[in-house]
Amino acid sequence: LPNICRRMELPVPHFEFLATPLLGLKVVRRRRIEDDRGYLSRMFCAAEFEGLGLDKPVQINRTLTRRQGAVRGMHFQHPPHAETKLISCLKGKVFDVAVDLRAGSPTFLCWHAEELSEENQRSLLIPAGFAHGFQTLSDDCELLYLHSNFYAPDVEGGLNPADPRLGINWPLTISEMSARDCGHSYLGADFSGIEL
């Protein structure tokens, strides 16, 4: 028995929350519990996420994007269905982007990106009032989304990922986008943001 039973010490906390230049947008670093059999990586804990807008996720989605260079986004929901999202990469590597759409925010229309991958154990916690999208940096990227609100197609919004007003510096030439994402108009000068 001593050869097969190993004691695992469980570190607390399981998450480290790192600030970004955009208020409320956080990088979440997950802590692995590892031994020679492999590892455990906690994806969410209501106690540790308390007060961050995602106390009780109501929907969990998983996506697969097959080809490197593809862009999905930039998506958001209008109030009263605005949502906080926690984005994690389970396989592959992505350039994950959030754009601040909050009316009156000092960082209105500013964007921030993080590389998310299985290896770096990072997630992006995106508050309500932000648009989200990503570009795949490898083939066969799988993402896991936790949402604070249900998907509401009637209040869904989107930004064109190539909008010069946003000026997102995608690291690769965009190889493909959905017709829906390509069809989003560029922002007009009258766009003043989302009132939460």
Side-chain angles (χ1 to χ4, degrees):
L1 282 181
N3 291 333
I4 60 169
C5 294
R6 297 174 177 86
R7 182 185 176 95
M8 276 188 131
E9 298 299 327
L10 301 179
V12 176
H14 291 273
F15 304 96
E16 183 180 3
F17 298 93
L18 309 173
T20 70
L22 307 184
L23 184 65
L25 179 69
K26 305 238 182 247
V27 175
V28 181
R29 190 157 46 202
R30 301 187 304 276
R31 298 192 177 166
R32 283 183 175 177
I33 302 166
E34 296 187 68
D35 64 19
D36 56 352
R37 298 167 299 159
Y39 69 85
L40 176 142
S41 177
R42 183 164 292 174
M43 301 303 290
F44 176 79
C45 174
E48 291 188 58
F49 278 78
E50 187 174 359
L52 296 174
L54 195 66
D55 299 351
K56 295 178 182 176
V58 299
Q59 206 163 63
I60 301 172
N61 295 316
R62 183 175 179 175
T63 64
L64 166 67
T65 307
R66 296 199 182 280
R67 284 175 284 283
Q68 181 184 41
V71 167
R72 289 183 185 255
M74 304 290 297
H75 305 145
F76 62 95
Q77 291 192 165
H78 292 277
H81 298 283
E83 59 183 342
T84 297
K85 299 178 185 177
L86 180 68
I87 313 297
S88 304
C89 185
L90 303 178
K91 181 182 176 188
K93 183 167 52 173
V94 299
F95 182 77
D96 206 64
V97 181
V99 177
D100 187 353
L101 300 180
R102 298 170 296 184
S105 170
T107 54
F108 176 62
L109 292 186
C110 292
W111 61 274
H112 179 80
E114 290 286 333
E115 186 176 293
L116 306 181
S117 69
E118 178 187 5
E119 290 74 27
N120 71 16
Q121 292 292 296
R122 288 180 170 229
S123 300
L124 201 58
L125 181 65
I126 303 172
F130 279 71
H132 167 257
F134 66 89
Q135 182 174 47
T136 54
L137 301 179
S138 62
D139 290 338
D140 296 321
C141 290
E142 295 183 24
L143 269 62
L144 187 74
Y145 295 65
L146 276 66
H147 302 260
S148 69
N149 216 334
F150 294 103
Y151 174 61
D154 292 345
V155 295
E156 184 180 29
L159 307 176
N160 191 305
D163 190 334
R165 189 166 174 198
L166 301 176
I168 298 171
N169 187 19
W170 300 104
L172 303 176
T173 300
I174 296 175
S175 62
E176 60 183 328
M177 286 195 298
S178 71
R180 180 185 69 161
D181 291 344
C182 287
H184 291 303
S185 301
Y186 290 171
L187 290 175
D190 61 339
F191 179 73
S192 58
I194 296 174
E195 296 281 354
L196 295 176

